[in-house]
Amino acid sequence: MTLTKPLTEYSFVLLVVFILSSFNIKSPIKTYTISIKITNIRNNKGFIQLQLYRSQKTFELETPYKTIRISKQNVTDKTLLYQIKGIAPSNYGIALLDDENGNKKMDYGWLYPKEGFGFSNYYHTGWSKPTFSNFKFCLNQNEFVNMKIRYM
């Protein structure tokens, strides 16, 4: 009887190991950090709004993958540093709005934007919106992005 008990416990352990190993347990997806340096901020009124896009279509439809609003209280020398952590690998493009009045949208004067805007690693000088390919990047490691705000 003493020989049977250890064999029974051993069989139970083997059964549990077999059952657990039969499940397809996926390892967690590696995520990365996007470190952003925002420059040329003209004041500390309102918020900086960042919108992460994953394609030209979502950019055209203005349906971002993620939207982040950042207080401008830590602006120093017209510059703000910010990190977005836990982002899965993919293609991304970041659009920025300097939402000075905090209404979560771009305000326009007669013909042009009254608030500042910017894009990841791209300074847009045209009169129409850029394409996603102008400011996209592939996130497959921690990434550093420069964003210079343009005011018209």
Side-chain angles (χ1 to χ4, degrees), residues 100-141:
E100 294 173 306
N101 63 3
N103 68 353
K104 300 182 182 180
K105 65 179 185 174
M106 173 67 79
D107 292 306
Y108 291 87
W110 197 61
L111 290 174
Y112 55 88
K114 294 168 73 174
E115 297 174 304
F117 57 91
F119 301 94
S120 46
N121 296 323
Y122 175 72
Y123 187 74
H124 187 63
T125 57
W127 287 94
S128 61
K129 284 174 79 169
T131 63
F132 179 73
S133 63
N134 291 132
F135 63 97
K136 77 174 182 177
F137 58 93
C138 180
L139 185 66
N140 57 13
Q141 62 183 11

Side-chain angles (χ1 to χ4, degrees), residues 8-133:
T8 306
E9 289 176 9
Y10 181 70
S11 298
F12 177 74
V13 169
L14 282 176
L15 179 63
V16 170
V17 169
F18 174 74
I19 291 171
L20 290 176
S21 66
S22 66
F23 289 110
N24 186 11
I25 301 172
K26 294 182 180 179
S27 61
I29 296 174
K30 180 144 178 74
T31 61
Y32 300 103
T33 298
I34 304 171
S35 298
I36 304 169
K37 181 179 181 182
I38 303 165
T39 59
N40 200 36
I41 303 170
R42 71 176 164 196
N43 60 47
N44 342 357
K45 296 178 189 171
F47 296 88
I48 295 292
Q49 181 168 297
L50 301 176
Q51 294 181 314
L52 275 73
Y53 291 96
R54 291 177 127 173
S55 69
Q56 178 66 35
K57 183 169 180 113
T58 60
F59 179 58
E60 288 171 2
L61 296 173
E62 296 184 14
T63 54
Y65 165 72
K66 185 176 198 75
T67 300
I68 300 164
R69 293 179 53 82
I70 308 164
S71 168
K72 291 173 34 178
Q73 297 305 312
N74 294 323
V75 171
T76 305
D77 296 326
K78 298 183 175 189
T79 301
L80 183 64
L81 302 175
Y82 188 76
Q83 287 188 329
I84 306 172
K85 297 180 179 183
I87 303 296
S90 186
N91 287 325
Y92 293 97
I94 305 173
L96 176 151
L97 165 65
D98 184 0
D99 189 13
E100 294 173 306
N101 63 3
N103 68 353
K104 300 182 182 180
K105 65 179 185 174
M106 173 67 79
D107 292 306
Y108 291 87
W110 197 61
L111 290 174
Y112 55 88
K114 294 168 73 174
E115 297 174 304
F117 57 91
F119 301 94
S120 46
N121 296 323
Y122 175 72
Y123 187 74
H124 187 63
T125 57
W127 287 94
S128 61
K129 284 174 79 169
T131 63
F132 179 73
S133 63

